[in-house]
Amino acid sequence: MANNDITWVRPEHRAASAAWKKIRDFCKGAEAVKEPGNNYLPLLDSTDKSMRNRKRNEDYLQRAVFYAITGNTKIGLLGLAFRKDPTFSAPEKLSYLLKNADGAGTSIYQQSQLVTENVLEVARDGLYVDYAEGSGQAIILRYLAENIINWRTKRINGRDQLVLVVLRECVEQEDGYAFKDEVQYRELALEEGRFICRVWRRSADAGSAAYVVTSEYQPKPKGKDSWDEIPFTFVGAQNNDPTIDDSPLAALVEINHGHFRNSADYEDSVWFCGQVQPYMTGLDEGWRDHLEKKGVKIGSRSPLLLPREGNFGYAQAQPNMLAKEAMDSKRDYMVQLGARLIEQNAAVKTATQSSSEQTSSTSVLGICVSNVSEAYSLAIGWCAKYLGVGEQQAAYAINQEFIAKVAESGMVTAIVNAWQSGAIRDTDMIRALQKLDLINPADSPDDIIDELHNPTPTLIGGNDGNGK
């Protein structure tokens, strides 16, 4: 019997969900890591269910210091990718995407940052291009990995195509001055070569009611009867196919997790070793009963009377540095994994040293950025088809020059000399100077060459040679 449950989740999605949640929690920081209790820390004496042991575990969790290494690394990688503005090339009719790509006021620049961030975190995101009838504009909608619950591909005309995508959405329903969240499902299907979109909602207010189709429509590109593909693309860390990729930050999260556990042990040890234990010796029963009755006050203003052979002192446990050493070793390993840690080191590094230290991060970042750029170029092309302006090739490119190049005078001179001697073309010279940030990388080389060869008239008269 066929399964007609629209809420069905693919097994690989369900298997990856736990890892996605952990990575997102570690990227968010200490509050998200500590909020679920002992999910990320072992219980001390799990067989003891007493209130005292419960309080001890709460203190153990609260004393632990979480170092936001994973989140800072992600922010650092985003900063490298977006240190230059992405380049946008599309028909003039699609220029509105620069300010409002999703119909809600988010620019394509801001949206691509969010997509890149999610690809770095969980190696997955989704872009769906829809048409807004009210504004007459095509919009690009972004979906988190957790909300892409089902998909299916089929080989059509020699290539694998998406024939089904199920997206989980949360919409707000008015409730007086408040609102209620309602879950609905959007089905994107390719049936008999035609793209169909269906929206599924609960058939009644009861929470146990089944989902039914509440709306169905067939989006159409301008000038055509229907789409012959689903205008949806996955965005991944390795490629943009439907398979779930490994997170670029997964290894770093594991070490960060171990660092957090070591920190909990270390802080617990510091607290335990830092609490001194007073003791007295040489007391007989009389002195003991006397002190118990009168009480014992310790301090410079409270002299302590003891018998002739009595003694007073403090006992303190010896510090345990194993946890601290484990933390330090994990920190060094995280640096090797590409974590951007701020170290108090004033040593000047050469460009070669900086480049080699960033290789492991930039190589992974380069693949992620390339995938995001490719996905947006495809999405912009779909927008152009919706509006019937597909004659111009659409492209969106995020910067992949993560390390700023130093424009040395000798290098610039060599480029110009090679151009003057005819060894390189005009466009090659322009692109070389763009890579050095001497010319705006977003400008077209052909436009720059045209401006150089055809300068704007200054309207200032010249000398005719006779002083006039």
Side-chain angles (χ1 to χ4, degrees), residues 279-283 306-313:
Y279 68 88
M280 297 180 187
T281 61
L283 302 181
L306 296 174
R308 182 183 297 276
E309 302 297 331
N311 185 34
F312 173 85

Side-chain angles (χ1 to χ4, degrees), residues 61-77:
L61 174 65
Q62 293 303 318
R63 279 194 295 265
V65 177
F66 177 78
Y67 295 82
I69 301 170
T70 305
N72 290 338
T73 300
K74 180 196 69 176
I75 294 172
L77 295 176

Side-chain angles (χ1 to χ4, degrees), residues 335-374:
V335 172
Q336 296 175 15
L337 288 175
R340 297 293 188 267
L341 299 178
I342 301 175
E343 298 179 344
Q344 297 297 327
N345 185 357
V348 178
K349 298 181 180 180
T350 65
T352 305
Q353 288 175 324
S354 299
S355 299
S356 62
E357 289 179 2
Q358 296 186 15
T359 300
S360 62
S361 292
T362 55
S363 60
V364 175
L365 179 61
I367 297 173
C368 294
V369 164
S370 177
N371 292 339
V372 175
S373 299
E374 182 178 335

